[in-house]
Amino acid sequence: MSVDIATVKRVARLARLAVTEEEAEKMAGELNNILGFVEQLSEVNVDGVEPMTSVTPMAMRKRADVVNDGDKAEDIVANAPATAENFFMVPKVVE
Amino acid sequence: MTELTKLTIAEARAKLAAKDITAVELTDAYIAAIEAANPALNAYVTVTPEKAREMAKASDKRIEEGKAGALEGIPLGIKDLFGTRDVHTQACSHILDGFKPKYESTVTQNLWDEGAVMLGKLNMDEFAMGSSNETSYYGPVVNPWKAEGSNQQLVPGGSSGGSAAAVAAQLCAGATATDTGGSIRQPAAFTGTVGIKPTYGRCSRWGVVAFASSLDQAGPIARDVRDAAILLKSMASVDTKDTTSVDLPVPDYEAAIGGSVKGMKIGIPDEYRMDGMPAEIEKLWQQGIDWLKAAGAEIVNISLPHTKYALPAYYIVAPAEASSNLARYDGVRYGLRKEGKDIIDMYEKTRASGFGAEVKRRIMIGTYVLSAGYYDAYYLQAQKVRTLIKRDFEDVFAKGVDAILTPATPSSAFGIADQDLAADPVKMYLNDVFTVTVNMAGLPGMSVPAGLDEKGLPLGLQLIGKPFEEETLFKTAHVIEQAAGRFSPSKWW
């Protein structure tokens, strides 16, 4: 399997990463190198093997369904690049 | 004053309790040491002297009142991955530009609750992705160790390179670190320090910037085995804010130190004898075997047949989880924003300018292996291989093996800006070949200094234990430490 520049651009779009033509070209080489390295996994016989979903054999603990935190809108927007009245500001998304 | 920074945590604890020294004196000594050394070593990305003195003053008061915690007045460095309230927390990435959280990670809160003092935030590979600390937005950390007769600057390893260098150079009494594929154990081995990655679920991940959530674990880097035990005891906890935090009481790890390894079964895995392994690593490993045998342990040869697949499986699982975790950095809620012609353009420009090359590479790999049509071939296959890797360990533990001894790294520290490694990311990834299996199986792993190579650089041995049997590792590592001695760099900075 070989990744071409068009694929790199498509994946970069999915990942929301702007890439230049030169970067895409460089990335294609690097990705092919890494994918070549992981290719050896296909030789492992995994018939009847369950994929790992949890590394420790435990049931996920759940918290009680109660409100235990909140009323801190100012804290939540404190680090945002643009805010107004405790809202996050983004470029216009609807006309 | 410099004498104070030579004290281990256990020694400082005794002197503080006896009121031979004050927490403020100890903290001042470290702040002076950091000011003198950091321009050369770049271990800290932020120093918090005012906060440190304030915390130390409060410690002195609690000592006076007889209310001292387990780490009262002990000055620590904190890896930049841990959220620290109102203090620089950027995972050493530009994308978190200016981020100062309004919360404290559970691990650091546990340390402050026990009276520890924060000196500042430590340098690391960006988002903990790297094995040399060279992917940091803040530039590389310089290893306090140099090869004999050489002036070449070496890497401290990564991703917890700042933590390891600061501990080795005595710029903190101990440090927090994290380990996703070897990021505690490899830098510990490169700097002659002790590092333990506990069992997955032992330390809460709450408030720690996420890289690969099924692999990430916090742990300490310390000057010796006892200090690592003291730190882990305070870092570990049961936390309702992390659903993978395990509901088991935290043992007194320090109590395990000094115990006998007589009759213990130590496994030596055949598959770790890699082709082209340097003779010095082979020799060090044999030395470790001989020490444990002399202490009464039984040495058994074991097989972990899927070892060679751990690293390729890791380079699917970790980037896949990272691509998902790092989707949150979009220029809206925190950190950097680059304006664009619309919102998508803003996301793309922000992420392109905020992430470094290695992080982008891993996001791309992760996005690719999770994308439609490739999920089964890559991600599902890797998760099945992961089951087999874990089963290998379960099989040997079921046969009565108590712990496994391996080398920690395939070499000693290498040079900063190594051309060979820069040209091929996979070569850099091979640094984690001995450590990554442990993360894939969620087991505890510890790196303990065991000797110097012929260039005079430290080398470490790794001990791997059963889930939640960290005490066995502390006990066994202490036997190695007693035989090997401790190693410190000569001061040039």
Side-chain angles (χ1 to χ4, degrees):
Chain A
M1 231 174 298
S2 175
V3 175
D4 57 17
I5 291 177
T7 309
V8 168
K9 286 182 177 169
R10 185 177 58 83
V11 174
R13 180 77 177 167
L14 289 172
R16 297 285 183 262
L17 285 170
V19 288
T20 63
E21 201 67 31
E22 299 87 80
E23 282 169 338
E25 213 166 293
K26 186 157 182 274
M27 274 182 185
E30 289 169 350
L31 297 197
N32 280 320
N33 187 3
I34 296 167
L35 292 170
F37 171 65
V38 303
E39 195 56 51
Q40 51 183 304
L41 288 181
S42 60
E43 72 194 43
V44 184
N45 181 355
V46 292
D47 290 350
V49 177
E50 286 292 316
M52 181 178 282
T53 49
S54 170
V55 74
T56 39
M58 62 178 284
M60 190 166 78
R61 283 185 308 120
K62 294 164 193 79
R63 283 201 301 272
D65 186 13
V66 291
V67 177
N68 58 12
D69 203 356
D71 279 335
K72 45 169 106 163
E74 280 171 19
D75 280 2
I76 287 164
V77 299
N79 278 287
T83 61
E85 293 167 35
N86 287 346
F87 285 94
F88 296 113
M89 298 289 281
V90 295
K92 197 170 178 184
V93 285
V94 279
E95 289 305 323
Chain B
M1 287 300 258
T2 54
E3 287 301 310
L4 291 182
T5 61
K6 287 196 164 66
L7 301 172
T8 63
I9 293 176
E11 289 162 357
R13 182 178 62 181
K15 284 195 186 293
L16 285 162
K19 302 194 176 110
D20 289 348
I21 57 170
T22 67
V24 170
E25 286 168 355
L26 186 61
T27 295
D28 280 340
Y30 276 109
I31 292 169
I34 295 166
E35 276 170 7
N38 211 47
L41 301 179
N42 199 28
Y44 282 85
V45 292
T46 290
V47 190
T48 53
E50 281 163 29
K51 192 179 171 74
R53 287 198 182 99
E54 202 178 290
M55 291 173 94
K57 236 180 243 173
S59 282
D60 281 330
K61 188 158 174 278
R62 282 192 294 270
I63 293 168
E64 201 57 50
E65 292 167 351
K67 293 178 188 160
L71 288 170
E72 200 67 62
I74 302 297
L76 302 178
I78 303 299
K79 188 177 182 180
D80 199 32
L81 206 64
F82 292 83
T84 44
R85 191 178 294 110
D86 295 327
V87 174
H88 181 286
T89 299
Q90 287 189 212
C92 285
S93 177
H94 186 43
I95 204 148
L96 272 165
D97 191 33
F99 183 63
K100 289 181 179 172
K102 291 289 169 192
Y103 54 82
E104 188 75 31
S105 80
T106 298
V107 163
T108 48
Q109 188 61 54
N110 289 343
L111 295 170
W112 316 143
D113 288 349
E114 293 288 1
V117 169
M118 176 162 80
L119 291 168
K121 301 302 283 289
L122 294 163
N123 205 342
M124 55 180 282
D125 279 300
E126 183 181 6
F127 283 105
M129 298 177 191
S131 303
S132 65
N133 213 113
E134 293 172 291
T135 73
S136 168
Y137 179 67
Y138 299 94
V141 173
V142 178
N143 194 329
W145 287 85
K146 282 184 174 175
E148 267 164 35
S150 162
N151 218 9
Q152 191 196 13
Q153 293 192 330
L154 304 176
V155 303
S159 69
S160 310
S163 305
V167 171
Q170 302 181 344
L171 306 183
C172 57
T176 66
T178 61
D179 190 315
T180 303
S183 283
I184 288 176
R185 292 158 287 158
Q186 184 252 19
F190 277 13
T191 56
T193 56
V194 175
I196 179 165
K197 180 204 90 73
T199 313
Y200 184 80
R202 182 67 286 180
C203 287
S204 170
R205 291 179 296 109
W206 194 85
V208 183
V209 177
F211 161 14
S213 303
S214 78
L215 301 159
D216 297 344
Q217 238 332 264
I221 292 181
R223 289 185 209 169
D224 63 13
V225 174
R226 182 176 298 274
D227 280 7
I230 293 170
L231 286 172
L232 183 61
K233 168 88 169 87
S234 293
M235 290 171 73
S237 64
V238 183
D239 185 11
T240 51
K241 290 194 277 193
D242 174 1
T243 53
T244 61
S245 160
V246 170
D247 197 1
L248 281 175
V250 181
D252 180 4
Y253 299 118
E254 204 182 346
I257 290 170
S260 168
V261 297
K262 204 166 176 163
M264 260 179 63
K265 261 192 190 178
I266 304 289
I268 307 299
D270 277 348
E271 290 79 4
Y272 282 62
R273 293 187 197 284
M274 301 276 173
D275 287 344
M277 186 156 88
E280 288 178 305
I281 303 283
E282 188 95 45
K283 204 174 113 200
L284 180 89
W285 196 7
Q286 188 54 48
Q287 177 65 261
I289 292 169
D290 293 344
W291 283 329
L292 293 178
K293 208 188 274 178
E298 184 192 341
I299 305 297
V300 289
N301 289 320
I302 59 168
S303 173
L304 299 166
H306 296 91
T307 297
K308 70 177 266 212
Y309 300 111
L311 202 57
Y314 175 86
Y315 274 97
I316 291 174
V317 173
E321 293 183 14
S323 74
S324 172
N325 272 325
L326 271 56
R328 72 190 70 179
Y329 304 104
D330 56 7
V332 174
R333 288 158 296 165
Y334 25 65
L336 188 73
R337 174 187 289 199
K338 292 280 172 192
E339 299 301 339
K341 63 181 192 299
D342 55 29
I343 194 162
I344 302 281
D345 197 39
M346 182 201 85
Y347 293 153
E348 292 190 345
K349 285 200 170 113
T350 298
R351 291 165 62 82
S353 123
F355 292 131
E358 180 62 26
V359 174
K360 284 184 195 169
R361 199 175 289 144
R362 299 209 198 181
I363 290 173
M364 289 291 289
I365 286 285
T367 307
Y368 179 78
V369 300
L370 291 177
S371 65
Y374 298 108
Y375 181 87
D376 286 7
Y378 288 112
Y379 190 71
L380 200 65
Q381 179 78 7
Q383 288 292 53
K384 287 179 178 174
V385 171
R386 199 173 168 191
T387 298
L388 294 172
I389 291 164
K390 183 156 186 268
R391 201 177 285 170
D392 285 352
F393 283 105
E394 285 166 353
D395 288 348
V396 299
F397 289 137
K399 284 181 194 142
V401 167
D402 296 294
I404 297 165
L405 181 75
T406 78
T409 57
S411 72
S412 59
F414 46 86
I416 288 178
D418 186 292
Q419 290 306 311
D420 234 25
L421 292 168
D424 181 359
V426 172
K427 265 194 190 152
M428 185 66 93
Y429 298 170
L430 286 169
N431 259 284
D432 290 338
V433 69
F434 297 135
T435 48
V436 79
T437 51
V438 175
N439 301 76
M440 294 301 270
L443 302 171
M446 188 166 184
S447 171
V448 57
L452 301 177
D453 70 3
E454 58 190 25
K455 293 175 284 186
L457 295 172
L459 293 170
L461 286 171
Q462 175 180 235
L463 286 159
I464 304 169
K466 297 182 205 174
F468 301 103
E469 292 196 11
E470 283 81 4
E471 288 160 290
T472 306
L473 300 188
F474 283 117
K475 183 170 75 176
T476 314
H478 188 248
V479 169
I480 293 174
E481 183 179 62
Q482 292 290 101
R486 281 174 49 193
F487 306 92
S488 294
S490 4
K491 194 166 177 234
W492 53 264
W493 56 86

